[in-house]
Amino acid sequence: MLKRKTFCKDLEGTAKTLLRFKHSEEDSGLRASKEWEELFVNNNYLATIRLKGINGQLRSSRFRSVCWKLFLEVLPQDRSQWIKTTSDLRTSYSKIKEIHITNPRKAGQQDLIINNPLSQDEGSLWNKFFQDKELRAMIEQDVTRTFPEMQYFQQENVRKILTDVLFCYARENEQLLYKQGMHELLAPIVFILHCDHQAFSHASEAAQPSEEMKVLLNPEYLEHDAYAMFTRLMKTAEHWFSTFEHDSQKEKDVMITPTPFARPQDLGPSIAIVAKVNQIQDHLLKKHDIELYMHLNRLEIAPQIYGLRWVRLLFGREFPLQDLLVVWDALFADSITLNLVDYIFVAMLLYIRDALISSNYQTCLGLLMHYPPIGDVHSLILRALFLRDPKRNPRPVTHQFQQNLDYYKARGADLMNKTRASAKAAPLNINKVSNSLLNFGRKLIAPAMASGGAVGAPAGGSSFPPSAMPVRSTVEAPQHHHHHQQHHHQAQQQRMMKSESMPVQLGKGQSSKNISSSPSIESLSGGREFTGSPPLSASKKDSFFNTISRSRSQSKTMSRKESEEELEAQISFLQGQLNDLEAMCKYCAKMMNTHLGNIQEVILQEHLEKEDEILVSLAGLKQIKDILKGSLRFNQSQLEAEENEQITIADDHYCSNSQNKGTGDALKGSVMTKQQFISERQTTTDSSTSESKTADDYIMVSKEEEGSRSTVPEPAQSLQTHKEAVVKPEAPSRSLIFSDPLMGSISASSSNLSSSPDDDSSNNSKDSDFAIVSPLDI
Amino acid sequence: MRHILVTAVRVLVTAVLERRGAGQWLCERPGAAGRICAVLLSNPSLTLVFPLRCVELVLALGDLHIPHRCSGLPAEFKKLLVPGKIQHILCTGNLCTKETYDYLRTLASDVHVVRGDADSLNYPEEKVVTVGQFRIGLIHGHQVIPWGNVASLALLQRQLDVDILISGHTHRFEAVEHENKFYINPGSATGAYNALETNIIPSFVLMDIQASTVVAYVYQLIEDDVKVERIEFKKY
């Protein structure tokens, strides 16, 4: 006959059937009593069950609650005393309940002045009643949120039990009252009591259980037992909940200047739990894994962010219920002082250390706040034991968490946005912006890197402005698929993201060159990636697009509310891009200006043969300079005109003059006027026809504002087209020579600056009619 | 079915309570009762706990005449009237402004006001509110002639078919049981003067409605001291 025991791991139905026996009922009774004897009826039973607890062998035990009671010292060691102690505790709880759950109408004999419903007197029963009501409401709020995934805790009677126990505890311990988190400590206790009662009722249907068993596992006293266990547990755990500040520096008048360079966890009042969690990180973690410690410090992740919840709830929210019970088995079995908590804490951190080290702030937060599920929780316990006492415990096999980190990055982003009030608000955008600009700078410097790089860079040049670089953007990616491995991408991505965590100061234009060095330093000094392949700085740059595109595809399933943040990030990123490009253009314009001036001077002095052509070319170049600088507005129709290779000058309201007398040196830049600007067909200068001042036909666009967006990205194209235009001149029907009054004033030979058709004013004048839009130059 | 349950529980409860010597009461507010019954019957191990959610406090006041005859409620009264404790407010009228109405709204969410002769806003002339087992009628009182006459009020009570009739206008506190019906006049909460009387004691009434019992607490401001009186009234 096969005897099999099956475990029900389904949380939904666990409340009903933790153990399902498939054999006859008589056996179940027998097995129950057998187990009882095995556990409790021998000389050194306490040590035995402790050992079982630590080894996780209580997972399927029918008498887990009894074991816990023993661990928590609710039951004395002496077995003969069990029944007596239990009944004592139960009656005391009943009494407590009676005291605290009051009926304000009962006291008829009290003085009416004190005991009326509106009284705020301390002695008034009504007052107490209202206070109780408030406390109860607070507790109930938390109770309804306990283990929402479990059907068992949705039942009204269970909730009432939880509320009553917590309420009585709060009333018994006035200095602590009720704090959020206590419900999570109570819930598993109630749960295992219930499970044991279920199992017991199954077993006792058949065989007659012993008197002891009957008393201990009496389902009527679930509440009382739960209360007893809970209070005992809280004796250890209560100072984690207390918010008593140890620091005596509570003078509000004195301006307490925080110490400079203080870590966020060190600022603020020192509460017991915070001190504990800090101590775990500063000492234990530092001792066992200094790299992780440094990394967390550098990211300024205060341990109380995640540690508070871990410790206060005894990891209640980090593991699924069955695993949690195993952890608690070990915790309680180990010692009532819950000393193993610290080491389990560290063991949990070590499990995800690789992922943490290679992540940025956002992903780290995501990982820590949503702890990834562990396959074998027992290994964690073993590790914790080993950390505590390496000599006596075996060294466990080290598992590491290796999974797709994008999920955690997203979770981390949620958390970051929730805690925007903290000073961490800025880094998100800055990181994204800086990262993209980093990349842009890198592309400027090394446009044609190794294999895939060439594809990336020029395509990036055109697609860069429209494509948004932030990692989580949902813009369609340029479809460059390199053949790198997935994990390699991720590795790159991790390093990318890590480099984001260093806010990089970007200046304008020139300094973008300097930045390229820092990311590579970052990658070199960074932590190991989990695949261990050495970072390739070259391929890193060009495969960045891949990681972006891949992560983009992965991130396409993000929720709507994230899209707003993404848009924001995109916007800020684009803004940064634009600023950078602007800066670059200005720089180019400036340099061009200088050099063109030089060339012009030399040419004018030289008296060459084909002077005119050169001068026309110079004029074209000056136009380019103006476009870069922003005084001229670049029109898209130029591009089309380029392709047509024709002069299609529609109309020439403004082009009236052919007064291109003047010397050949007159071509200085162009003057902004309030006119339409259709640019340069192929500017032709037959040295024969025109008197060489022929510039292109320009109808100028009045510029609304400097640095308008359409202008800025275009210089790249316009650079090329202008060059082309200047090279292939053609005879225009009109010619206009505009000059830049500002330039005119600067240059020495500022003769013959032709006027615009509209105005008769000389070009030299800084006429207000001419809308020169380059205030920066002034 | 629920009724049977309720009575069954009531029997249970009274049995238990008599053993303990406590007063007998069980709130029968619908919904709460059902839940409590379910709880009690399903889990006999639970010690019987008095259902605390059944406390219904009703505040009756009126004739404030703010700002025409008085500037505001007395400070001692204001100290007592804290939001969160009172479930219903029944106001006999003559507030007279919207600001006073808003203040009452901050004390409780359920505010009923009837129109007095000095009110300008659009309130109804009379109202009937059901709280617990009681039907409570509300009227200002200037419509009832002679003012404050019990027999005339009884006429109105029969007309509205209420168990408790709250009226005002006389600015004088009264609580009368007449023909097994309860007549309450909360007086003037600010102590505003009347046409016939200038010396008015500020007063209001707070009713604690249990199943078929009403306990009325009368708060009066006599020489800067709040005095409380307690009056009990049973329905049957």
Short mmCIF file of all heavy atoms in Angstrom, two decimals, chain A residues 632-659:
data_model
loop_
_atom_site.label_atom_id
_atom_site.label_comp_id
_atom_site.label_asym_id
_atom_site.label_seq_id
_atom_site.Cartn_x
_atom_site.Cartn_y
_atom_site.Cartn_z
N LEU A 632 20.12 83.36 -40.26
CA LEU A 632 19.33 83.01 -41.43
C LEU A 632 18.49 81.80 -41.11
O LEU A 632 18.92 80.90 -40.39
CB LEU A 632 20.25 82.65 -42.59
CG LEU A 632 20.71 83.76 -43.52
CD1 LEU A 632 21.38 83.15 -44.71
CD2 LEU A 632 19.56 84.63 -43.95
N ARG A 633 17.37 81.78 -41.70
CA ARG A 633 16.55 80.61 -41.43
C ARG A 633 16.61 79.68 -42.61
O ARG A 633 16.49 80.08 -43.74
CB ARG A 633 15.13 81.03 -41.20
CG ARG A 633 14.27 79.82 -40.94
CD ARG A 633 13.01 80.25 -40.36
NE ARG A 633 12.07 79.12 -40.38
CZ ARG A 633 10.94 79.13 -39.77
NH1 ARG A 633 10.59 80.21 -39.13
NH2 ARG A 633 10.14 78.11 -39.82
N PHE A 634 16.77 78.46 -42.29
CA PHE A 634 16.93 77.45 -43.32
C PHE A 634 15.59 76.90 -43.71
O PHE A 634 14.78 76.54 -42.88
CB PHE A 634 17.84 76.35 -42.79
CG PHE A 634 18.03 75.23 -43.75
CD1 PHE A 634 18.74 75.42 -44.91
CD2 PHE A 634 17.46 74.00 -43.51
CE1 PHE A 634 18.92 74.39 -45.79
CE2 PHE A 634 17.64 72.97 -44.38
CZ PHE A 634 18.37 73.15 -45.52
N ASN A 635 15.36 76.82 -44.99
CA ASN A 635 14.05 76.39 -45.43
C ASN A 635 14.16 75.03 -46.07
O ASN A 635 15.08 74.78 -46.85
CB ASN A 635 13.49 77.40 -46.43
CG ASN A 635 12.01 77.24 -46.60
OD1 ASN A 635 11.53 76.12 -46.73
ND2 ASN A 635 11.30 78.35 -46.59
N GLN A 636 13.22 74.20 -45.81
CA GLN A 636 13.29 72.84 -46.32
C GLN A 636 13.19 72.78 -47.82
O GLN A 636 13.66 71.86 -48.45
CB GLN A 636 12.15 72.01 -45.73
CG GLN A 636 12.37 71.62 -44.30
CD GLN A 636 13.40 70.53 -44.16
OE1 GLN A 636 14.12 70.23 -45.11
NE2 GLN A 636 13.49 69.94 -43.01
N SER A 637 12.55 73.76 -48.38
CA SER A 637 12.39 73.71 -49.83
C SER A 637 13.71 73.80 -50.55
O SER A 637 13.82 73.48 -51.71
CB SER A 637 11.46 74.84 -50.28
OG SER A 637 11.99 76.07 -49.87
N GLN A 638 14.69 74.19 -49.83
CA GLN A 638 16.02 74.20 -50.44
C GLN A 638 16.41 72.82 -50.90
O GLN A 638 16.99 72.64 -51.95
CB GLN A 638 17.06 74.66 -49.42
CG GLN A 638 17.02 76.12 -49.13
CD GLN A 638 18.05 76.44 -48.08
OE1 GLN A 638 18.95 75.64 -47.87
NE2 GLN A 638 17.90 77.54 -47.44
N LEU A 639 16.06 71.89 -50.07
CA LEU A 639 16.47 70.52 -50.38
C LEU A 639 15.84 70.05 -51.66
O LEU A 639 16.47 69.43 -52.50
CB LEU A 639 16.06 69.60 -49.23
CG LEU A 639 16.80 69.83 -47.94
CD1 LEU A 639 16.23 68.95 -46.87
CD2 LEU A 639 18.28 69.54 -48.14
N GLU A 640 14.56 70.39 -51.79
CA GLU A 640 13.89 69.94 -53.00
C GLU A 640 14.49 70.61 -54.21
O GLU A 640 14.72 70.01 -55.23
CB GLU A 640 12.42 70.28 -52.93
CG GLU A 640 11.73 69.55 -51.81
CD GLU A 640 10.45 70.25 -51.44
OE1 GLU A 640 10.07 71.19 -52.15
OE2 GLU A 640 9.86 69.85 -50.45
N ALA A 641 14.73 71.87 -54.01
CA ALA A 641 15.29 72.62 -55.14
C ALA A 641 16.61 72.02 -55.57
O ALA A 641 16.95 71.99 -56.74
CB ALA A 641 15.45 74.08 -54.76
N GLU A 642 17.32 71.55 -54.58
CA GLU A 642 18.59 70.89 -54.87
C GLU A 642 18.44 69.82 -55.90
O GLU A 642 19.21 69.72 -56.84
CB GLU A 642 19.12 70.25 -53.58
CG GLU A 642 20.12 71.08 -52.87
CD GLU A 642 21.22 71.48 -53.79
OE1 GLU A 642 21.82 70.60 -54.42
OE2 GLU A 642 21.45 72.68 -53.89
N GLU A 643 17.43 69.01 -55.64
CA GLU A 643 17.29 67.85 -56.51
C GLU A 643 16.86 68.26 -57.91
O GLU A 643 17.16 67.59 -58.88
CB GLU A 643 16.28 66.88 -55.92
CG GLU A 643 16.80 66.26 -54.64
CD GLU A 643 15.68 65.83 -53.75
OE1 GLU A 643 14.52 65.80 -54.24
OE2 GLU A 643 15.94 65.52 -52.60
N ASN A 644 16.11 69.31 -57.96
CA ASN A 644 15.59 69.67 -59.29
C ASN A 644 16.66 70.25 -60.19
O ASN A 644 16.55 70.17 -61.40
CB ASN A 644 14.48 70.69 -59.16
CG ASN A 644 13.26 70.08 -58.52
OD1 ASN A 644 13.19 68.86 -58.47
ND2 ASN A 644 12.37 70.89 -58.06
N GLU A 645 17.62 70.80 -59.58
CA GLU A 645 18.71 71.38 -60.35
C GLU A 645 18.21 72.44 -61.31
O GLU A 645 18.65 72.57 -62.44
CB GLU A 645 19.45 70.29 -61.15
CG GLU A 645 20.04 69.22 -60.26
CD GLU A 645 21.54 69.26 -60.38
OE1 GLU A 645 22.05 69.98 -61.26
OE2 GLU A 645 22.20 68.56 -59.59
N GLN A 646 17.29 73.14 -60.83
CA GLN A 646 16.78 74.21 -61.69
C GLN A 646 16.61 75.44 -60.84
O GLN A 646 16.44 75.37 -59.65
CB GLN A 646 15.42 73.85 -62.24
CG GLN A 646 15.43 72.94 -63.41
CD GLN A 646 14.01 72.59 -63.74
OE1 GLN A 646 13.09 73.24 -63.27
NE2 GLN A 646 13.83 71.57 -64.55
N ILE A 647 16.58 76.48 -61.55
CA ILE A 647 16.25 77.69 -60.84
C ILE A 647 14.75 77.85 -60.90
O ILE A 647 14.18 78.02 -61.96
CB ILE A 647 16.90 78.91 -61.48
CG1 ILE A 647 18.39 78.63 -61.68
CG2 ILE A 647 16.68 80.13 -60.62
CD1 ILE A 647 19.03 79.72 -62.47
N THR A 648 14.15 77.78 -59.81
CA THR A 648 12.71 77.99 -59.83
C THR A 648 12.39 79.08 -58.84
O THR A 648 11.88 78.85 -57.76
CB THR A 648 11.97 76.72 -59.43
OG1 THR A 648 12.58 76.24 -58.23
CG2 THR A 648 12.06 75.69 -60.52
N ILE A 649 12.71 80.22 -59.29
CA ILE A 649 12.42 81.34 -58.40
C ILE A 649 11.05 81.83 -58.72
O ILE A 649 10.78 82.29 -59.81
CB ILE A 649 13.45 82.45 -58.59
CG1 ILE A 649 14.82 81.86 -58.20
CG2 ILE A 649 13.10 83.62 -57.71
CD1 ILE A 649 15.91 82.74 -58.66
N ALA A 650 10.19 81.70 -57.79
CA ALA A 650 8.78 81.97 -58.06
C ALA A 650 8.56 83.44 -58.37
O ALA A 650 8.15 83.81 -59.45
CB ALA A 650 7.96 81.57 -56.87
N ASP A 651 8.83 84.23 -57.41
CA ASP A 651 8.56 85.64 -57.65
C ASP A 651 9.65 86.43 -56.99
O ASP A 651 10.43 85.93 -56.20
CB ASP A 651 7.21 86.03 -57.10
CG ASP A 651 7.08 85.54 -55.68
OD1 ASP A 651 8.12 85.11 -55.11
OD2 ASP A 651 6.00 85.55 -55.13
N ASP A 652 9.66 87.60 -57.34
CA ASP A 652 10.73 88.39 -56.79
C ASP A 652 10.22 89.75 -56.38
O ASP A 652 10.66 90.78 -56.91
CB ASP A 652 11.84 88.51 -57.80
CG ASP A 652 11.23 88.87 -59.15
OD1 ASP A 652 9.99 89.00 -59.23
OD2 ASP A 652 11.99 89.03 -60.09
N HIS A 653 9.29 89.71 -55.46
CA HIS A 653 8.81 91.01 -55.01
C HIS A 653 9.94 91.83 -54.46
O HIS A 653 9.95 93.03 -54.53
CB HIS A 653 7.80 90.86 -53.89
CG HIS A 653 6.76 89.85 -54.20
ND1 HIS A 653 5.77 90.08 -55.09
CD2 HIS A 653 6.55 88.62 -53.70
CE1 HIS A 653 4.98 89.03 -55.13
NE2 HIS A 653 5.42 88.14 -54.30
N TYR A 654 10.80 91.11 -53.87
CA TYR A 654 11.79 91.83 -53.08
C TYR A 654 13.09 92.00 -53.81
O TYR A 654 13.93 92.79 -53.41
CB TYR A 654 12.03 91.07 -51.78
CG TYR A 654 10.74 90.69 -51.13
CD1 TYR A 654 10.31 89.36 -51.10
CD2 TYR A 654 9.93 91.68 -50.61
CE1 TYR A 654 9.12 89.03 -50.52
CE2 TYR A 654 8.75 91.32 -50.02
CZ TYR A 654 8.33 90.02 -49.98
OH TYR A 654 7.17 89.70 -49.40
N CYS A 655 13.23 91.24 -54.84
CA CYS A 655 14.54 91.31 -55.45
C CYS A 655 14.52 92.34 -56.56
O CYS A 655 14.16 92.07 -57.69
CB CYS A 655 14.92 89.96 -56.04
SG CYS A 655 14.66 88.66 -54.86
N SER A 656 14.85 93.53 -56.22
CA SER A 656 14.70 94.57 -57.22
C SER A 656 16.02 95.05 -57.78
O SER A 656 16.11 95.54 -58.88
CB SER A 656 13.99 95.78 -56.61
OG SER A 656 14.84 96.30 -55.62
N ASN A 657 16.99 94.88 -57.01
CA ASN A 657 18.15 95.63 -57.42
C ASN A 657 19.12 94.77 -58.19
O ASN A 657 19.29 93.58 -58.00
CB ASN A 657 18.86 96.20 -56.21
CG ASN A 657 19.48 95.09 -55.41
OD1 ASN A 657 19.06 93.95 -55.49
ND2 ASN A 657 20.49 95.43 -54.67
N SER A 658 19.70 95.44 -59.05
CA SER A 658 20.89 94.84 -59.62
C SER A 658 22.03 95.76 -59.35
O SER A 658 22.97 95.89 -60.10
CB SER A 658 20.75 94.65 -61.13
OG SER A 658 19.50 95.10 -61.53
N GLN A 659 21.90 96.38 -58.28
CA GLN A 659 22.96 97.33 -58.01
C GLN A 659 24.10 96.61 -57.34
O GLN A 659 24.36 96.78 -56.18
CB GLN A 659 22.48 98.46 -57.14
CG GLN A 659 21.15 98.15 -56.47
CD GLN A 659 20.98 98.86 -55.19
OE1 GLN A 659 21.95 99.27 -54.56
NE2 GLN A 659 19.76 99.03 -54.78
#
